[in-house]
Amino acid sequence: MKSKVDSQQEESNTENDFSEMSDTQVRRRGPSPKKIVSKNKLPNLERNVPIIIKNNNFVVRTIWTIVMILGFMGVLWAGHIYIIGLVLLVNIGIFKEILGLKRNYEKELNVKYSSLINWYFFGIATFFCYGKLFQSKLSEYAFKMNMLSFILNYHNIITFMLWVAGFLIFTLSLKKGYYRYQFRMFGWTHITLILVVAQSSVMIMNIFEGIVWFILPCSLVITNDIFAYIFGVSFGKTPLIELSPKKTWEGFIGGCFSTLIASFCFAYVLQGSQYLTCPQHQLPFSPFASLTCEIPSVFISTQRQLPFSIFGLDSIYFSDFQIHAMVFSLFTSLVSPFGGFFASGFKRGIKIKDFGDTIPGHGGITDRMDCQILTGMFSYLYLHQIVLPKAVTLGTVLGYVSQLSTNQQQELFNQLKQTLQIGQ
Amino acid sequence: MKSKVDSQQEESNTDNDFSEMSDTQVRRRGPPPKKIVSKNKLPNLERNVPIIIKNNNFVVRTIWTIVMILGFMAVLWAGHIYIIGLVLLINIGIFKEILGLKRNYEKELNVKYSPIINWYFFGIATFFCYGKLFQSKLSEYAFRMHMLSFILNYHNIITFMLWVAGFLMFTLSLKKGYYRYQFRMFGWTHITLILVVAQSSVMIMNIFEGIVWFILPCSLVITNDIFAYIFGVTFGKTPLIELSPKKTWEGFIGGCFSTLIASFCFAYLLQGSQYLTCPQHQLPFSPFSSLTCEIPSVFISTQRQLPFSIFGIDSIYFSDFQIHAMVFSLFTSLVSPFGGFFASGFKRGIKIKDFGDTIPGHGGITDRMDCQILTGMFSYLYLHQIVLPKAVTLGTVLGYVSQLSTNEQQELFEQLKQTLQIGQ
């Protein structure tokens, strides 16, 4: 049984940058010091631990999986504003974890404002993304609140000036001897904000277009994970990539095909629900509110003629949404494993096992979210550029109306009055 | 006279991360090894160099300043497409310099695809920004070219898929033992692209709205630099910030006020030229072509009544543009020095004197551009959110309203009724 020090030295020989770091220094990365010891010792122990304790970990892991899934479903049912709240909490958790990877607590004793500045930038990014959300999806809601209208019209430049203020404060806080550390935190913060806050804001915008556009990609990622694991365990032989030796080509391809079929069926199940498919333009605070609308045509199944007969069938009954779901599943099964490889390589590069230890048995929040990184952005772009018609909706018109002067609004009112009375 | 090794050790003691690095390792940062020796030795030599050689450096510097200014003016005169070409060349230069800061040539012998991947991401970023340019400013031009129209409509998702392809290639190229280096280059590339390519793309968008919106902020930065230097040399006593000991409060404030006045006058000079103030919606390839239009009202001087008499004058003759120029000058004189401090701190943090040595006497391209970083973004946001009238007029809104269904028009009517009655 190799001791921890030996294996670390072996790793060190291949990674030149760590050759000078002592054992104590390595431990200071990642979560705060008092928790690291148990985390870093786990890799070597796991191989030698008796079966009983291993099963305990499996049990804990399964329990928390169920807790997370049920909790997530509960929040979805509660309503859109609670989903925003959950995403915000998840963002805070991820940001805290990733920031903690690079923080040096000793240095921060001397540069006191560093963490404050980083959270300030987090606040600005969140403000910017929520503003974009209100501008595009909730413009009716904002129209009724005049104060909000002003902020929304000048949203971009307001955010920029706030960011510039943060930039000035950062530059003023630069302290001799700590430049390198401070710049590293600055860059680290900004990359994390782009990867995390931007991603989640597009996910939220999807939710307001219809919860199903959020559920579908997320669950396809999880489904692909599960199926790839099943196929890998049953048939796995050829390794896929040297980064993750446990992944196999059989698992990858099997996961790809089964997710394709699963997406077709799952989409059929989802498209019947009005609560899941309707766009939301209000922001009700009461939980478990209902949502009704005229179901968009993309969700309606129609009989489609096949160009040739398969098994004696001339036509299949499906909706556009099911086709879109299959496109999502293709993207997911091809790309999200790579998101996982990226995160694995990253963790190996900075020599940690998990991003944190928030969720028992699973590691940190980031560990659960790493496969979702790219699917959020893809579903947003696909939804808005390919699925949604570039139609004018009441929401967008109200957005423009709020920018008119009162005189112009009065004029519009009079003209509408004429038009509608003629129609009546 | 302190030897180089001594002063480096002294610096090392304050910046912990460098304590283990030998002299040879420090030299490997920045431009390729064969040029480093002379560059890094310069700081200490400058203090002891005879006056003759110092004056030579001053002469070289002045010559190249004139060359740059004249060259820049010629490109401006040549036409918009040549400006785009110049900005592209500058981008390539800056990206190459900043990338070179973090490159380790020994490691790249083993990870051969690393520079290709980085330049691929550069290409994607440039493609994205030029696409945005065509979408927003040259949409008439693109409308006539059908192939371009297709790309433009799906521009966002095409760019994203190309980026995902780059992401997959990067993940596949990860090589054991080099993870840390590869991730560092990945992050470094992305930060640089955001700071550099995004900034320059907004500058180009400003150019197409009227060359003056690019010339004005750029020259205000240079003007502020010059005036602050003059005031600093003449009156300078109190140091401004520990990062740059040569900057003083007197220089800062003096520069602020004189740039304010200079902007007012310079704006008056610029607003008369049609070539500089007209928006460009075509893309002529022939150089030195003219550009005419109806001069936008923002550039027209009118007599304005003052609320009180100053020196017996009741009214002043100026245009809106001159007011905007003063706002630009305020932003520039307050913020762009901090851009310079940021770059100084950064250079000190990674222990280089200059970003490169492309321009004799001045260092690299990045050294000339570092004060411009934030002004481009500010002028873009200011121009589009505050100066340009919102393209929303009553006419356009009525156009949208006519596309709504009768139910939605009724809904709009009700909402307007509420809003207007509350106002009345």
Side-chain angles (χ1 to χ4, degrees), chain B residues 255-274:
Chain B
C256 190
F257 279 109
S258 30
T259 316
L260 211 60
I261 299 167
S263 67
F264 191 83
C265 307
F266 193 42
Y268 182 73
L269 284 174
L270 288 174
Q271 69 191 18
S273 155
Q274 275 205 358

Side-chain angles (χ1 to χ4, degrees), chain A residues 243-244 339-349 352 355 370, chain B residues 179 183:
Chain A
L243 260 173
S244 294
F341 300 152
F342 185 88
S344 296
F346 182 76
K347 282 191 277 191
R348 222 166 289 186
I352 57 170
F355 281 103
D370 58 17
Chain B
Y179 297 148
F183 275 102

Side-chain angles (χ1 to χ4, degrees), chain B residues 29-46:
Chain B
R29 289 183 179 283
K34 59 176 168 65
K35 293 184 187 168
I36 293 260
V37 178
S38 52
K39 265 262 134 316
N40 275 352
K41 282 200 174 142
L42 217 52
N44 291 319
L45 281 178
E46 262 190 11

Side-chain angles (χ1 to χ4, degrees), chain B residues 62-228:
Chain B
T62 317
I63 289 175
W64 275 93
T65 311
I66 297 171
V67 165
M68 285 197 294
I69 292 179
L70 288 179
F72 182 60
M73 282 163 68
V75 170
L76 278 183
W77 185 27
H80 295 76
I81 200 168
Y82 296 93
I83 300 175
I84 295 181
L86 176 68
V87 172
L88 182 60
L89 285 176
I90 291 178
N91 274 356
I92 292 175
I94 297 180
F95 187 70
K96 192 173 169 191
E97 280 174 16
I98 296 187
L99 209 63
L101 295 176
K102 280 282 186 184
R103 284 176 75 174
N104 186 322
Y105 294 92
E106 288 179 347
K107 287 197 175 170
E108 281 195 7
L109 292 173
N110 289 316
V111 187
K112 290 198 173 66
Y113 297 112
S114 188
I116 294 177
I117 291 175
N118 296 330
W119 283 102
Y120 174 79
F121 283 121
F122 176 82
I124 304 260
T126 309
F127 168 75
F128 181 68
C129 293
Y130 284 130
K132 282 283 170 209
L133 171 70
F134 271 82
Q135 256 183 348
S136 61
K137 303 291 173 193
L138 295 171
S139 33
E140 293 172 33
Y141 189 80
F143 181 66
R144 282 179 239 146
M145 299 168 63
H146 292 283
M147 183 62 195
L148 218 61
S149 286
F150 171 78
I151 295 178
L152 284 189
N153 284 342
Y154 297 102
H155 182 65
N156 290 337
I157 199 166
I158 289 176
T159 317
F160 180 71
M161 294 312 285
L162 289 172
W163 184 88
V164 167
F167 177 85
L168 296 184
M169 283 194 294
F170 169 76
T171 311
L172 283 170
S173 80
L174 286 172
K175 197 164 167 175
K176 192 178 169 92
Y178 295 93
Y179 297 148
R180 200 172 161 73
Y181 173 72
Q182 288 179 288
F183 275 102
R184 190 186 298 157
M185 291 311 288
F186 185 81
W188 196 246
T189 301
H190 282 79
I191 286 191
T192 309
L193 286 175
I194 291 164
L195 282 179
V196 175
V197 179
Q199 281 291 310
S200 54
S201 80
V202 301
M203 279 183 183
I204 292 180
M205 295 223 227
N206 284 349
I207 288 172
F208 276 78
E209 208 52 50
I211 294 182
V212 71
W213 296 107
F214 171 66
I215 291 183
L216 185 70
C218 272
S219 42
L220 284 179
V221 170
I222 299 169
T223 314
N224 183 65
D225 227 12
I226 295 173
F227 276 119

Side-chain angles (χ1 to χ4, degrees), chain A residues 186-207:
Chain A
F186 184 81
W188 196 246
T189 300
H190 282 78
I191 286 191
T192 309
L193 286 175
I194 291 163
L195 283 180
V196 174
V197 179
Q199 282 291 311
S200 54
S201 78
V202 301
M203 280 185 182
I204 292 179
M205 293 221 229
N206 284 349
I207 288 172

